[in-house]
Each structure stands twice: as C-alpha cells, then as structure tokens.
Amino acid sequence: MFDLYRILPACLIIVLLFSVAGVAMVSAQSSDFQIEKDPSFIDDQKSPAAAFVRSIILPGWGHFYAGKQHNTRGAVHVGTDAILIGSIFGFNIRANRIENDFITYANLNADVDLSSRDRSFRLAVADFNSLDDYNDYQLRTRNWNRLIEDIPNNRWNWRDSDARNRYSDMRADSDRIRNQIPALAGIMVVNRVISAISAYNRVRNEIETNAQSRAEFTIVPVMKEYGSDSIYSEISGVAAKINIRF
C-alpha cells in the first residue's frame, strides 16, 4: 500500500516542474504576440473540474453550472437519480413488509420466532417441516457441522407442506427484492460518472470555443523608407499580428 504522505511531496514537485515548464513555453511563444486581456472573459469562464465535482455530488448539477443550454441534459440526470433513489426506498420498504409478513406467518403456523434469526436458519425452516426432519437429513448426509441444537427456541413444526411452501415463497420474494437494491445503487454510480464526464466535456468545449472566438489574426505590410526625409517608401514584407483576449 502506498504511503500518501511520502509520495505527495514528489507529486507536488513534479506538478510544479510541469507548471514552470508550461509557463516558460507560454512566455516564449507569446513574446511575439500582442496580448489584450478581457476581464469579462475571466469572470464568465467556468471550470471543467468544478462541473465534474458537482455532477459527482448530484447528477445534473454540473450541467446546470455549465449554462442554461445544458439544463435539459442536467434535468435528465437529476430525474434519473431521483427515480433510482425512490426505487431503492420503495424496494426496501416492500422487502421489510414482506419480511414482517413471513415472520408473523411462521410464528402462527410453525410456532417459531424468526425475528432475530439469521438467513441460514430461515432457509432451514423453509426447506423442512420440522427441526427433527432437518437434523435427520444432516446426519444422513454427514453434515454434522450444520446440525441445529435441539432446544425450544430452535424448534418448529409446520402444520402442513402448503403452509411451509407459502412461507418459502414469501421469504424468496423478500430476498429477490433486496437483491435488486445493490443493482440500483450501481446504476446511481454510473449515472453520476456519465453526468460528470458529460458536464466536464461540455464546459471544456465551451472554453475552447470562446478562446477561438477571442483570437484575432491580421496581416500588416512592413514599409521601408528611403532618403533623408523619408520621402520614398516601399513594401518590404508583411508581418503577422495576433491579438488574444484571455
């Protein structure tokens, strides 16, 4: 495992070196250019990283941050997240209700309290009519480590197979619903990642578009003068003039 506190100084040094090199390159390239600063561009410019973080926190927030023209896409991600959250709460409530139903049903029809029992015990109650049947099967299959102690709290006895089958169906329904919750949570994560990447790209593309629209390129003639009074002149070449507002 990496020690973050040990590698952090090295990472900062690398970032600093790249930053200095980048500043040097920009300075060298801009020495031949005429630069005009536009304060309004700085005030209005958005950060792709800020859009990314916003959409990770709340899908769609980064699109709202990017501008009104992206609100529709943002609303799609927000709506998707709201539906997924509602589904998770709804599935959990339904699974709890079914669980309470089959616990009550087992108490009434098999005379056993399952409220504080683990899943393996509940499965045993679903598969066998009584504790004696369960332990007898484990002995015959030599699964001695799966034997359940024969004490009053562990005993059950279904009145008939139909009652046991109904309990088994209710317990399976509860498990099936609960097993869908992790999948919904995974979709929520995917929705956040897609929203964050989309918002990041949209803000970055707008910055690039604005930068291109604020660059001006002109060509001007270079005049050469003759004589002491500079009476005569002629075009000796051309020069490129670039104005960049940032």
Side-chain angles (χ1 to χ4, degrees), residues 3 50 52 58 82 84 111 116 132 156 161 208 211 215 239:
D3 189 343
F52 185 92
L58 176 64
L84 291 171
D111 196 23
S116 60
D132 291 338
W156 74 89
S161 297
E208 293 176 353

Side-chain angles (χ1 to χ4, degrees), residues 121-189:
F121 187 85
R122 293 179 178 184
L123 285 172
V125 173
D127 294 335
F128 297 90
N129 287 327
S130 66
L131 177 61
D132 291 338
D133 291 346
Y134 172 84
N135 282 336
D136 180 64
Y137 175 81
Q138 302 304 331
L139 289 172
R140 285 188 285 107
T141 55
R142 298 185 179 182
N143 294 320
W144 296 290
N145 60 321
R146 297 184 178 179
L147 291 172
I148 298 177
E149 185 180 3
D150 189 0
I151 59 176
N153 288 339
N154 291 339
R155 294 171 188 164
W156 74 89
N157 189 15
W158 289 103
R159 64 182 185 183
D160 53 46
S161 297
D162 291 338
R164 179 175 61 82
N165 290 335
R166 184 179 177 186
Y167 159 82
S168 179
D169 291 339
M170 288 191 292
R171 191 208 57 78
D173 287 342
S174 178
D175 283 352
R176 177 179 54 80
I177 294 173
R178 289 192 189 281
N179 290 337
Q180 295 179 21
I181 294 178
L184 294 175
I187 296 175
M188 289 181 63
V189 174

Side-chain angles (χ1 to χ4, degrees), residues 33-39 41-42 214 216 241-246:
F33 300 152
Q34 178 180 348
I35 299 176
E36 177 185 349
K37 296 184 178 181
D38 187 352
F41 180 70
I42 298 176
R214 291 170 181 266
E216 299 177 358
K241 181 180 179 182
I242 300 177
N243 294 331
I244 301 177
R245 292 181 291 171
F246 63 91

Side-chain angles (χ1 to χ4, degrees), residues 22 58 62 73 75 83 104 114 125 143 153 174 219 231:
L58 176 64
R73 177 64 180 270
I83 292 173
T104 302
L114 301 176
V125 173
N143 294 320
N153 288 339
S174 178
I219 298 177
I231 299 176

